[in-house]
Amino acid sequence: MDTERLMALLRNPQKVKNQAQRKEQAEKVKQERAARAAAKAASNKTLTLCAGILVALLVVSMVFVLSSKNRAENISNSLDPNVLKGLVVNKTFNPNKEVRYEFVSAGQDRSVSNVTQYGSTLPVISRYNFKSLNKDSYTLIGEAPYALSINVTSNANDPELLRYLFNIDFVAEGFLNRPEVAALLADPKAVAALVAERKKINAFLQTEAAQMVLADPKLLNALAQSRLFSRILISPALKYYRDNPALAAKMINSNPDLAALKKNPHVRQAVAANNYLKKNSSILLK
């Protein structure tokens, strides 16, 4: 302790003590202010960083949303034109050589529908998923009740994609192997019996899928010229009527709804252009 401080302490010890306390208190206040300033600076830095991250996320989200919107509104541009062109499965296909209802409800997502009979989801083809769908998915589209109808209504504005779908062997096999379909296409009498059931024929022609197909010549031709339809026309039952066009015409005229189809210009054009029907189209359309 220096002499001056010692003399001050001897003269007035309380004054020295009070000065020491004030100095200590001032130092404490200074330290607290410094700590608050440091905390505030750190907080500002954190807020700035968070704001930067938030802005970056917002920008990325907007880019993603706008990109998704653009893809949704420009579905025809979602594939390389060279990949989409034709969507041909097998250019050399020659069908002459290669040869119970359940409730179905549309799901929230356009790409699936619930099929209670199968206890799973029904795939619906699109330009985004047609490459990823496997054999089982395409087979299910062919064999599940209403599956083809749902795919048609979901893609009615894309005849080229539906032409691709109806040209896939797995789809055709799944459809033709349905017990009720196989039985029908094996027996000309079964076909005649079905045509005679006017309520069933009328109900089918009034479905959304049938109405869409009959109203669009591109869509109608895409399906009429497909592998699946060719396989139907070369079945034993339909071949019998193709070989007997007069009998086929009589059967068609016996059902007013089918007879009315002959007045549809799109139907007439599709029949006249079909490789299996054009030879007898004049008789069938008379």
Side-chain angles (χ1 to χ4, degrees):
M1 181 179 296
D2 57 55
T3 304
E4 184 177 349
R5 178 173 173 74
L6 179 60
M7 292 299 293
L9 186 60
L10 290 173
R11 287 195 299 271
N12 193 340
Q14 186 61 41
K15 181 179 179 180
V16 173
K17 183 178 180 181
N18 290 341
Q19 288 177 342
Q21 289 178 344
R22 286 196 295 272
K23 184 177 181 180
E24 182 181 353
Q25 185 66 27
E27 186 65 28
K28 185 177 180 181
V29 170
K30 182 178 179 180
Q31 291 177 354
E32 289 177 351
R33 288 177 177 175
R36 286 197 296 270
K40 184 177 181 180
S43 177
N44 289 339
K45 185 177 181 180
T46 301
L47 289 174
T48 301
L49 179 61
C50 290
I53 294 173
L54 185 60
V55 170
L57 289 175
L58 181 61
V59 171
V60 171
S61 299
M62 289 299 295
V63 170
F64 178 77
V65 169
L66 291 176
S67 175
S68 299
K69 183 174 183 292
N70 182 65
R71 288 197 301 272
E73 292 179 350
N74 298 282
I75 190 169
S76 61
N77 295 326
S78 63
L79 296 178
D80 185 320
N82 293 324
V83 175
L84 176 62
K85 190 175 181 180
L87 289 174
V88 176
V89 179
N90 182 350
K91 293 182 179 180
T92 61
F93 169 71
N94 183 340
N96 286 316
K97 296 180 181 179
E98 300 179 32
V99 182
R100 125 204 99 195
Y101 288 97
E102 293 289 340
F103 177 74
V104 181
S105 61
Q108 292 182 345
D109 188 311
R110 174 183 175 277
S111 65
V112 297
S113 295
N114 295 323
V115 184
T116 57
Q117 178 176 350
Y118 290 86
S120 61
T121 57
L122 173 66
V124 175
I125 194 173
S126 74
R127 293 202 179 198
Y128 298 114
N129 71 2
F130 80 96
K131 284 187 176 181
S132 63
L133 293 180
N134 57 25
K135 171 187 174 182
D136 292 339
S137 295
Y138 282 120
T139 300
L140 183 59
I141 290 175
E143 69 182 11
Y146 309 119
L148 286 172
S149 296
I150 292 172
N151 273 270
V152 168
T153 55
S154 297
N155 294 284
N157 63 340
D158 197 345
E160 195 73 4
L161 185 64
L162 288 175
R163 183 195 303 274
Y164 171 79
L165 178 66
F166 277 63
N167 277 334
I168 295 176
D169 278 326
F170 302 129
V171 175
E173 291 295 335
F175 180 77
L176 297 173
N177 287 333
R178 291 187 191 181
E180 70 277 15
V181 173
L184 178 67
L185 298 182
D187 185 0
K189 292 182 180 179
V191 174
L194 175 62
V195 171
E197 295 191 50
R198 291 185 55 185
K199 287 185 178 181
K200 282 189 176 181
I201 297 297
N202 181 265
F204 170 75
L205 293 176
Q206 295 304 316
T207 61
E208 183 181 13
Q211 290 292 308
M212 286 180 167
V213 173
L214 293 172
D216 186 343
K218 291 183 179 180
L219 180 55
L220 178 58
N221 282 319
L223 303 189
Q225 300 294 338
S226 69
R227 180 173 303 182
L228 174 55
F229 197 67
S230 295
R231 293 282 295 273
I232 292 173
L233 289 177
I234 65 171
S235 67
L238 272 295
K239 185 177 184 303
Y240 171 81
Y241 288 110
R242 285 194 295 111
D243 292 341
N244 298 276
L247 183 60
K250 181 179 179 180
M251 181 176 66
I252 292 171
N253 290 330
S254 69
N255 186 305
D257 292 309
L258 293 180
L261 286 180
K262 295 190 297 183
K263 298 179 181 179
N264 185 319
H266 306 328
V267 172
R268 297 183 69 86
Q269 190 277 332
V271 171
N274 186 275
N275 290 331
Y276 297 96
L277 301 177
K278 61 184 178 181
K279 181 175 70 174
N280 297 316
S281 61
S282 60
I283 299 175
L284 295 173
L285 297 172
K286 186 175 180 180

